[in-house]
Amino acid sequence: MKAVPWRVVLPVLVTIIIALIPTPEDLAPHAWYYFAIFVGVIVGLILEPLPAAAIGLIGVVLIGVLGLAFSPEQRADPGFDLPGETIRWMLSGFSNTTVWLIFAAFMFAMGYEKTGLGRRVALHLVQRLGKRTLGLGYAITLSDLILAPFTPSNTARSGGTIFPIIRNIPGLYGSEPGPTARKIGAYIMWTALAATCVTSSMFLTALAPNLLAIELVNKTVNLQITWTQWFVGFLPVGVILLAALPYLVYKLYPPEIKGSSEVPEWARQEIAQMGRLSRQEIVMALLALVALVLWILGRDFIDATTVALGVICLMLILNVVKWSDVLANGPAWNVLVWFATLVTLAGGLNRVGFIVWFSDRAAGFLEGLPVTLVMISLVALFFFIHYFFASITAQTTAVLPVMLAVGAAVPGMPVTMLALLLCYSLGIMGIITPYATGPSPIYYGSGFIDRRAFWLLGLVFGIIFLAVLLVVGLPYLSILY
């Protein structure tokens, strides 16, 4: 009889152990059992005894069958439609706009690949910058920085615009998902993800939850934050991180190919062989341009996901891709199910009251500490609690007001500094997990960065980002305010 793999046993064992621990005071038992299953799912995602999408689906179904998404009082109410509400909750993640925007990014990448446009653009980039891998890293970072102030969806900016182009670069160097990923592909993908996390914090309009955050700050502590105030406050942190980022990735997660003097000349020859732009390339380029313009200028009258889905429809109508191509894109459907189930699970933590309970208990430990230490602790707690969330918007809504209220109640707390530091952490926290922000599952799903490396790099760069924010940002803001 074949032994059960330890990767299967450990997530189940962790779930059972947590569930058997007596329910903490002031927390409902069903919320504690929900948390136990959630932690088991996270352990499963780290170990991957099954594909990530399957693990997420199992977690959602298990909680749904056990009825843990609703309190006993709700379930006992004769007017409460438990079966109907349960299935609606289980499928709620599939109505999340970011989930479908992530799916659309994979479709855009497929369109770039099938038409040859992605290869052509990648060849031009390599021709100009391909002598040094580090140069490509800075080019990718600069591209995101240019788009960031005008694109409030980092999924659209990085996942829908930058990823479809850079996905074609590794293959030019013989680097593909799997054994050859570390040649150059892994470096390029991690640099792109890390860059968009930094730019998401640098500009108020670079991440949709930033705009939500300043509204919550205004309502919670009666403080208004302007675009300029946001930018100036993060400027030294952002400059340091963006200037160092490609080199930092180059050293901590080094590519095997450092550069090649022959590759640019080879790229030039390949471009010549491709000849003039084909009709399909032109159509795909125009569709991508339409999407980018609407993402930047149309956010007041059309949602970014609506734009993306509309462009996919046009890609099908104009025969850029076929429906059979869409159906055959396994990674896209896999990420769709995976991220949708994680959004459901993470949202449920707030629904059952676990997040507020956890935040209140953690804040209680800070009583009596020096003001600066309390501020640092609240920002760090807010940052790392994102391991429990698959949506920055959800965390902003559920936890930011709690952290602000706790901090504002501390005598002598510089509330403006606390509010800005909490808000600045929203973008950079997107680096810590494969589900932390919209572009994360796209880069993880590309297959260039393996599971272990993604989690480890997320922790390392998360600590680096947070350290720079606190070490540079806190004294700088203390001068400003």
Side-chain angles (χ1 to χ4, degrees):
M1 182 177 177
K2 188 176 181 180
V4 179
W6 67 272
R7 285 188 175 88
V8 175
V9 174
L10 189 56
V12 176
L13 187 61
V14 168
T15 301
I16 293 173
I17 290 173
I18 295 176
L20 291 177
I21 297 173
T23 302
E25 186 179 356
D26 297 333
L27 183 67
H30 76 287
W32 183 246
Y33 298 144
Y34 187 110
F35 173 68
I37 295 175
F38 182 85
V39 173
V41 168
I42 298 303
V43 173
L45 291 175
I46 294 172
L47 300 178
E48 277 199 10
L50 295 172
I55 294 170
L57 182 62
I58 290 169
V60 168
V61 172
L62 181 59
I63 289 173
V65 169
L66 297 176
L68 298 178
F70 306 97
S71 67
E73 292 76 18
Q74 288 176 303
R75 297 197 300 269
D77 186 347
F80 186 74
D81 178 18
L82 181 59
E85 291 298 327
T86 297
I87 191 62
R88 276 189 284 275
W89 172 80
M90 291 169 62
L91 298 176
S92 60
F94 289 93
S95 65
N96 183 279
T97 56
T98 302
V99 169
W100 286 99
L101 193 54
I102 292 169
F103 176 81
F106 278 87
M107 296 300 109
F108 280 32
M110 182 174 65
Y112 276 79
E113 181 180 352
K114 288 192 69 67
T115 61
L117 178 63
R119 176 177 169 82
R120 185 184 294 274
V121 174
L123 284 167
H124 278 287
L125 277 173
V126 169
Q127 182 187 5
R128 287 166 173 77
L129 301 165
K131 285 186 178 180
R132 297 182 63 200
T133 300
L134 188 59
L136 290 173
Y138 277 100
I140 292 166
T141 301
L142 181 61
S143 299
D144 197 293
L145 178 64
I146 292 170
L147 293 174
F150 316 105
T151 318
S153 168
N154 63 356
T155 309
R157 177 174 73 251
S158 187
T161 304
I162 292 175
F163 172 76
I165 294 174
I166 66 172
R167 173 62 183 83
N168 293 270
I169 294 177
L172 305 179
Y173 293 81
S175 179
E176 297 292 346
T180 60
R182 288 298 301 274
K183 280 187 174 182
I184 195 173
Y187 168 79
I188 286 175
M189 297 302 161
W190 187 257
T191 301
L193 174 59
T196 204
C197 290
V198 176
T199 60
S200 293
S201 283
M202 193 162 189
F203 304 100
L204 175 61
T205 47
L207 185 71
N210 292 348
L211 301 167
L212 171 62
I214 62 169
E215 288 298 319
L216 293 174
V217 168
N218 188 18
K219 291 179 181 178
T220 306
V221 294
N222 195 28
L223 176 67
Q224 292 186 339
I225 299 173
T226 65
W227 193 98
T228 303
Q229 185 181 9
W230 179 295
F231 175 70
V232 171
F234 191 76
L235 186 59
V237 177
V239 169
I240 289 171
L241 287 177
L242 289 175
L245 184 61
Y247 181 77
L248 198 59
V249 181
Y250 191 80
K251 288 298 182 181
L252 296 180
Y253 193 49
E256 295 173 3
I257 297 176
K258 309 297 183 181
S260 172
S261 57
E262 293 83 12
V263 167
E265 175 58 26
W266 170 82
R268 187 192 65 78
Q269 295 173 2
E270 289 293 306
I271 294 170
Q273 289 183 10
M274 290 184 74
R276 300 177 61 181
L277 281 168
S278 67
R279 172 190 170 278
Q280 294 294 76
E281 287 180 272
I282 294 172
V283 170
M284 186 65 219
L286 290 175
L287 292 177
L289 181 62
V290 167
L292 183 59
V293 169
L294 288 175
W295 283 334
I296 294 173
L297 302 177
R299 58 181 180 268
D300 292 332
F301 61 88
I302 187 167
D303 182 81
T305 305
T306 304
V307 172
L309 294 176
V311 169
I312 290 174
C313 291
L314 289 174
M315 287 167 63
L316 291 166
I317 292 170
L318 298 173
N319 204 33
V320 174
V321 297
K322 301 182 185 299
W323 183 245
S324 57
D325 298 324
V326 175
L327 292 177
N329 195 323
W333 293 106
N334 180 62
V335 168
L336 176 73
V337 175
W338 169 46
F339 203 64
T341 54
L342 277 182
V343 166
T344 301
L345 287 169
L349 277 177
N350 188 50
R351 169 193 281 270
V352 299
F354 179 85
I355 294 298
V356 173
W357 171 85
F358 180 82
S359 301
D360 288 342
R361 290 298 170 277
F365 288 108
L366 304 177
E367 292 182 6
L369 297 177
V371 171
T372 302
L373 185 57
V374 172
M375 186 190 308
I376 292 172
S377 300
L378 287 174
V379 174
L381 175 62
F382 185 65
F383 185 89
F384 287 110
I385 205 176
H386 193 56
Y387 276 100
F388 295 148
F389 285 90
S391 165
I392 295 175
T393 301
Q395 178 172 342
T396 303
T397 305
V399 186
L400 181 61
V402 176
M403 296 298 175
L404 285 169
V406 170
V410 176
M413 175 64 71
V415 178
T416 301
M417 286 178 57
L418 173 64
L420 285 171
L421 288 171
L422 289 170
C423 290
Y424 290 151
S425 70
L426 292 173
I428 58 176
M429 68 174 58
I431 198 68
I432 62 176
T433 70
Y435 53 84
T437 189
S440 300
I442 296 172
Y443 289 103
Y444 182 69
S446 71
F448 282 97
I449 308 169
D450 65 46
R451 177 190 72 252
R452 181 178 178 276
F454 208 109
W455 284 94
L456 181 59
L457 287 168
L459 176 61
V460 171
F461 277 82
I463 292 173
I464 292 172
F465 286 0
L466 181 61
V468 174
L469 175 64
L470 294 175
V471 172
V472 176
L474 200 154
Y476 172 71
L477 290 173
S478 67
I479 295 172
L480 294 180
Y481 303 101

